[in-house]
Amino acid sequence: MSYRGTTALITGASAGLGEVFARQWAERGADVVLVARRLDRLEELAGALKRRHGITARPLAADLARPGAAAALKTELAERGITVQTLINNAGFGSHGAFAEQEPEHITRMIQLNVGAVAELTRTFLPELVADGRGALVTVASTAAYQTTPAMAVYGVKAFVLSLTEALAHETRRSSLRVLAVSPGPVSTEFFDVVGTQEAAVGRVSSPAEVVTAARRALERRRTPPSTVAGLPNRLSSLAPRFAPRRLVLATAGRALNA
């Protein structure tokens, strides 16, 4: 896995996991393109990374939930002469509550960001990632990808993120590109502020650094696995739904999420 001399495009880079991905990649010598909606935060982070690590950090404000945002981003980078070796699909959000009581526009935006943007960005950049082969494709899935989540029904689209990434790991297996889906459990980020409740934080809460370090170490293995669950307790809990009856899995998840 290469860092120095490569450029990593990181979505959702203004806070949380995205910010830590940017810090860990920059610390190892990678240039970074930081993408999120909050330009002021991106500019602050970019300045700090440049000063501390002597790398190039470019902040780009973009609403990735807008269809066509990936193509527009690719065009902007091409105009600046920037090619990307690593893509880290981190941007996403969740919500808590009964599906029938949520605003349709909110549901649509969540699906577009958590699924549509991941697919569009990956399809847009994957050919050049494979052609170069020095970097990685990383997607942030969730332990929610391994089981149904009543009261967070739409966030279950993370199962698509996991499945897509594992499929691409197989499709690109003859290249030197490393492809990984990392699935964290609850993480101490702004995620739960957006969700609107701590009831969605089921299990041990990890720090962003723990999750990013787990992903990076998986990428640095001689043979990168197609997916990894961050944290031993989360790995164990992700296995349980495979063996328990579906009614029991649903009832347990429903109680945990106060559905």
Side-chain angles (χ1 to χ4, degrees):
M1 173 69 192
S2 299
Y3 297 95
R4 195 167 301 278
T6 67
T7 297
L9 170 59
I10 303 162
T11 69
S14 59
L17 291 174
E19 178 182 340
V20 177
F21 271 114
R23 291 186 183 279
Q24 290 205 14
W25 258 246
E27 183 179 319
R28 286 159 181 79
D31 294 331
V32 293
V33 177
L34 310 173
V35 180
R37 288 186 297 166
R38 294 176 290 189
L39 183 59
D40 57 338
R41 287 200 179 188
L42 296 177
E43 290 175 336
E44 182 180 352
L45 176 59
L49 295 179
K50 290 176 186 177
R51 290 189 298 271
R52 184 174 181 84
H53 303 295
I55 53 90
T56 300
R58 300 172 177 88
L60 293 178
D63 182 0
L64 296 175
R66 179 176 55 82
L73 181 59
K74 180 71 159 54
T75 298
E76 183 169 358
L77 292 179
E79 290 173 349
R80 298 186 183 200
I82 300 170
T83 57
V84 171
Q85 286 76 40
T86 291
L87 171 62
I88 300 176
N89 283 310
N90 166 70
F93 71 96
S95 64
H96 183 274
F99 178 80
E101 296 172 3
Q102 296 185 31
E103 293 295 328
E105 296 82 3
H106 186 74
I107 291 171
T108 299
R109 180 173 177 80
M110 194 188 317
I111 293 172
Q112 181 55 32
L113 184 60
N114 291 3
V115 173
V118 171
E120 289 180 8
L121 283 163
T122 301
R123 175 59 187 87
T124 298
F125 288 95
L126 186 59
E128 69 182 51
L129 300 184
V130 171
D132 187 283
R134 289 179 291 164
L137 168 64
V138 181
T139 62
V140 178
S142 168
T143 51
Y146 292 88
Q147 65 180 54
T148 308
T149 50
M152 294 187 71
V154 180
Y155 196 65
V157 297
K158 286 291 188 178
F160 167 84
V161 175
L162 175 63
S163 180
L164 173 70
T165 309
E166 290 187 330
L168 295 180
H170 182 79
E171 289 182 14
T172 61
R173 67 192 183 281
R174 292 185 177 87
S175 74
S176 56
L177 179 72
R178 295 173 183 258
V179 179
L180 175 74
V182 57
S183 294
V187 186
S188 55
T189 66
E190 296 176 353
F191 177 87
F192 296 106
D193 296 333
V194 176
V195 169
T197 177
Q198 289 294 319
E199 291 177 352
V202 178
R204 176 184 174 274
V205 178
S206 302
S207 71
E210 289 176 306
V211 175
V212 173
T213 299
R216 183 175 50 75
R217 287 176 176 170
L219 289 170
E220 291 170 351
R221 292 178 194 168
R222 189 173 64 85
R223 295 190 65 181
T224 298
S227 59
T228 188
V229 178
L232 179 59
N234 291 326
R235 286 196 290 274
L236 295 175
S237 66
S238 69
L239 290 172
R242 300 184 185 183
F243 304 103
R246 295 301 292 175
R247 285 185 179 274
L248 177 60
V249 171
L250 279 167
T252 302
R255 286 194 298 272
L257 291 167
N258 291 322

